[in-house]
Amino acid sequence: MHSGRAPRTPATLGDTGREVWRGVWAAGAGAFNPRTDRMVIQRYCELHDRRAELLAVIGQDGLMTTGSMGQAVMHPALRFVESTEKELRAIEAVLGLSLEARLRLGLAANELDKVTLADILGGGEDDEYDD
């Protein structure tokens, strides 16, 4: 178990990737080792940068574009967003970045006893519904 600080953010990462880098290392709370996990986490952050760039292009151009026959078609970059998101989900599972992945890896079992259904659903202090 690594208990030191997160490694220096790679200079190759963009704004989104840097933010994800800091978030992943913080969320790992010592579970990730810079020697063995750095490249996987860096790849994950690079994919987030790619996704952000693609979404920016789509945001600028719009979801629809004109096809070769003059018909309306979905922006071609959407295919790359989908494939990038598929890669992200695969890495998230490996790193245990979702509850399901952590359960599969056995990382969240001890924490589940401390969480109530009200916590999962957004808190129990809601007085909106009176019995």
Side-chain angles (χ1 to χ4, degrees), residues 96-111:
L97 296 180
S98 70
L99 177 59
E100 180 183 1
R102 288 190 302 278
L103 287 171
R104 213 175 292 132
L105 295 170
L107 299 175
N110 292 337
E111 294 300 316

Side-chain angles (χ1 to χ4, degrees), residues 6-14 17-19 21-22 25 38 42 45:
R8 183 182 310 266
T9 306
T12 57
L13 295 179
R18 289 175 183 277
E19 183 178 332
W21 176 269
R22 289 188 295 272
W25 285 100
R38 178 186 181 90
Q42 182 172 344
C45 297

Side-chain angles (χ1 to χ4, degrees), residues 127-131:
D127 290 331
E128 182 176 324
Y129 300 105
D130 292 322
D131 291 344

Side-chain angles (χ1 to χ4, degrees), residues 67-79:
S68 61
M69 304 298 282
Q71 78 281 20
V73 295
M74 296 296 284
H75 197 294
L78 283 170
R79 287 180 302 157

Side-chain angles (χ1 to χ4, degrees), residues 15-88:
D15 292 340
T16 300
R18 289 175 183 277
E19 183 178 332
V20 171
W21 176 269
R22 289 188 295 272
V24 168
W25 285 100
F32 303 126
N33 187 312
R35 288 187 180 147
T36 58
D37 302 321
R38 178 186 181 90
M39 296 306 293
V40 173
I41 295 171
Q42 182 172 344
R43 176 72 175 140
Y44 181 70
C45 297
E46 290 167 348
L47 288 168
H48 270 284
D49 277 337
R50 179 196 304 170
R51 181 180 179 275
E53 290 174 21
L54 289 166
L55 290 175
V57 168
I58 293 167
Q60 183 177 16
D61 296 348
L63 285 175
M64 303 300 288
T65 188
T66 304
S68 61
M69 304 298 282
Q71 78 281 20
V73 295
M74 296 296 284
H75 197 294
L78 283 170
R79 287 180 302 157
F80 298 111
V81 170
E82 290 173 4
S83 64
T84 299
E85 289 176 346
K86 183 177 180 180
E87 292 179 62
L88 285 168

